[in-house]
Amino acid sequence: MASDCITTISLHRFVDELTAGLLPRAVSRKSIIINQIDRDLEVGSDENLLAFVLWNLLDKVVDCTQNECIHIESVCLGESTMIRVRNAGVYFYRSCANCFRQVQDAAEKLGGSISIDSWDTGTTVALTLHKGLRAA
């Protein structure tokens, strides 16, 4: 169930603001964060809850990534939108995946879910929101 504090947010700008605080740590780990979110994508969401979920995902990705380019992108799939973070580091799944219960609960309150796909060369972490995001 979604919260009652719904506001319309430019997702690209929102991600820029969240990642600004992570850039010094990413650079110290010889990584770079690239925001590839569609600039026209707007979110009708609880801003604080969305910030909590995305900040926790991005914070863990930066902690688990070194010498990589971290891509944050949006993928529209019918009435759902996925906010995908690629190249989260090969150890992300083992070191961080089990600490996401509270973040998953918050994602569910937004009407979404978190998924983590890992392979030998990296990890993709995604927040999928159902019927909650629409391109402007």
Side-chain angles (χ1 to χ4, degrees):
M1 175 182 285
S3 173
D4 294 332
C5 302
I6 305 299
T7 55
T8 300
I9 304 160
S10 164
L11 190 57
H12 185 89
R13 181 193 51 77
F14 193 70
V15 168
D16 273 348
E17 291 171 2
L18 287 175
T19 57
L22 296 170
L23 285 176
R25 192 162 19 122
V27 169
S28 74
R29 299 185 56 76
K30 298 179 179 160
S31 294
I32 186 168
I33 301 170
I34 299 176
N35 182 353
Q36 296 174 301
I37 300 283
D38 181 344
R39 290 184 184 272
D40 294 329
L41 189 61
E42 293 186 343
V43 180
S45 183
D46 178 321
E47 185 173 356
N48 292 325
L49 200 52
L50 182 61
F52 173 79
V53 172
L54 287 177
W55 172 263
N56 277 283
L57 291 178
L58 295 169
D59 183 57
K60 297 294 185 231
V61 165
V62 169
D63 278 347
C64 296
T65 304
Q66 190 158 352
N67 300 315
E68 291 287 341
C69 185
I70 301 167
H71 297 267
I72 306 166
E73 55 198 14
S74 56
V75 179
C76 293
L77 308 164
E79 292 193 24
S80 298
T81 297
M82 180 184 299
I83 302 164
R84 186 166 59 189
V85 183
R86 292 188 298 117
N87 294 348
V90 294
Y91 300 109
F92 180 88
Y93 187 81
R94 288 180 218 122
S95 62
C96 300
N98 294 326
C99 64
F100 276 128
R101 185 70 240 158
Q102 189 176 16
V103 178
Q104 176 66 28
D105 290 343
E108 289 171 4
K109 288 179 184 174
L110 289 170
S113 61
I114 295 171
S115 62
I116 302 170
D117 294 314
S118 187
W119 58 95
D120 291 342
T121 59
T123 302
T124 297
V125 182
L127 167 64
T128 302
L129 297 172
H130 310 284
K131 300 181 184 179
L133 294 176
R134 298 229 172 31

